DNA sequence: CTCAATGCAAATCATTTGCACACCC
DNA sequence: GGGTGTGCAAATGATTTGCATTGAG
């Protein structure tokens, strides 16, 4: 059929995450403000990583929100697992949408500032071992490898 | 023999790291200032993690150094692998001495703020795989698991 | 002597906070 | 209507920076 499946898929996900946020806010007795949905929508129009400032700039043209609200809302979105936050070095906080995107870790190439994403099942194994050995529950992890491209003089 | 091997060992290490720093500074054409050695010595009198502020406070009573110098010197000590730096969350930078202490990673228990250290050889395996697959050299990594103690209501 | 290193205070910059107003429930 | 959420501007706090002074080589 002649539909643009890209756009259809996009819209579906936007709807789904909107519902997830609605449910979450209801459950936590938080208000469903237009700002919160506007932010979510903006985030889910992105591919890959973004920072708060980019988000702020981009939104100014559409639905105007303050930085304070952005920071507040990111907390909520993190809490309901609709976004993930990455700390690439001290002053580089990057976010990305999390719904239906695979859990992955990162390699940072310090010569080129490239970021490579990878998945390795052995991390889950390590996690399981640790939970057993120390009798704990592990909720999340952060793993970064720092390196450089080979064969450079 | 009747020697206190603890203290002997301590002193030996202090000497060794002093030599390492000397060599490093010589090689890099940096000056061997008393501040740098005083800081190194202070750090190697600690066990476990410490932050810049603690280091600063503690040193005031002995060899007075400015925060600026502390930050500068930490860079050098990181570069010559005499200290390691850990980023536990955005505003919690902790350091620890690195010479002759085993590479380890951390679990952070968010309910109690406990920090558990562990070593798992599988991380090295992951590293090797990544180096091969992406044709890169990995210098270091940072790995944190975040969790909670079990069986709490 | 010369310039890298130091100390001090001011600057930075992402994030947080306080407060008055707006609007979701 | 009442109180949470918002915007704004000011506050924060770890780290950095500028500059005059010191001291290592």
């Amino acid at each position: 059929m002649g539909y643009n499946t890209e756009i259809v898929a996009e819209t579906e996900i936007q709807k789904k995450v909107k519902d997830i946020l609605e449910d979450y806010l209801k459950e936590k007795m938080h208000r469903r403000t237009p700002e919160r949905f506007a932010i979510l929508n903006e985030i889910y129009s992105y591919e890959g990583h973004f920072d708060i400032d980019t988000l702020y700039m981009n939104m100014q043209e559409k639905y105007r929100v303050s930085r304070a609200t952005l920071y507040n809302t990111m907390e909520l979105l993190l809490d309901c697992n609709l976004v993930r936050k990455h700390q690439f070095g001290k002053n580089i906080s990057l976010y990305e949408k999390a719904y239906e995107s695979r859990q992955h870790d990162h390699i940072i190439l310090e010569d080129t500032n490239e970021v490579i994403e990878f998945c390795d099942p052995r991390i889950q194994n390590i996690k399981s071992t640790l939970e057993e050995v120390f009798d704990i529950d592990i909720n999340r992890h952060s793993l970064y490898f720092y390196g450089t491209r080979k064969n450079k003089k």
Side-chain angles (χ1 to χ4, degrees), chain A:
Chain A
M1 354 175 180
Y3 292 115
N4 182 330
T5 50
E6 284 304 288
I7 290 178
V8 172
E10 188 79 4
T11 309
E12 301 252 305
I13 286 192
Q14 305 250 5
K15 263 188 200 164
K16 272 196 183 170
V17 294
K18 188 189 154 202
D19 286 346
I20 292 173
L21 180 55
E22 284 228 28
D23 292 348
Y24 169 79
L25 293 175
K26 246 176 237 171
E27 188 200 319
K28 293 274 183 171
M29 303 285 269
H30 290 144
R31 293 183 180 168
R32 275 153 276 149
T33 67
E35 287 83 1
R36 287 172 176 171
F37 291 102
I39 294 167
L40 180 68
N41 217 50
E42 178 72 20
I43 289 172
Y44 271 79
S45 75
Y46 296 159
E47 287 305 322
H49 302 128
F50 62 90
D51 60 29
I52 291 282
D53 229 54
T54 307
L55 183 55
Y56 180 74
M57 306 296 196
N58 290 346
M59 291 202 68
Q60 291 317 78
E61 306 151 14
K62 307 169 191 179
Y63 196 108
R64 194 166 227 284
V65 285
S66 67
R67 281 176 212 280
T69 300
L70 279 184
Y71 282 109
N72 287 335
T73 303
M74 295 314 284
E75 285 304 307
L76 297 177
L77 296 179
L78 281 170
D79 192 46
C80 62
N81 295 309
L82 285 172
V83 306
R84 269 195 285 269
K85 179 178 184 177
H86 302 292
Q87 196 71 44
F88 297 97
K90 186 107 224 302
N91 271 336
I92 313 158
S93 294
L94 295 181
Y95 298 81
E96 69 183 324
K97 59 188 177 190
Y99 181 72
E100 276 197 347
S101 80
R102 203 145 152 249
Q103 168 60 41
H104 56 259
D105 295 294
H106 298 90
I107 305 167
I108 296 152
L109 299 180
E110 297 184 300
D111 44 353
T112 60
N113 279 318
E114 261 177 290
V115 175
I116 302 174
E117 301 185 350
F118 71 95
C119 296
D120 194 304
R122 283 172 289 191
I123 293 152
Q124 292 311 312
N125 301 340
I126 294 174
K127 179 190 153 189
S128 304
T129 304
L130 293 174
E131 291 186 315
E132 246 182 77
V133 170
F134 294 110
D135 190 37
I136 54 178
D137 290 314
I138 291 173
N139 312 315
R140 61 201 169 82
H141 72 264
S142 91
L143 170 59
Y144 299 99
F145 286 97
Y146 299 88
T148 51
R149 288 242 106 93
K150 258 187 180 151
N151 64 38
K152 37 177 334 213
K153 277 269 153 51

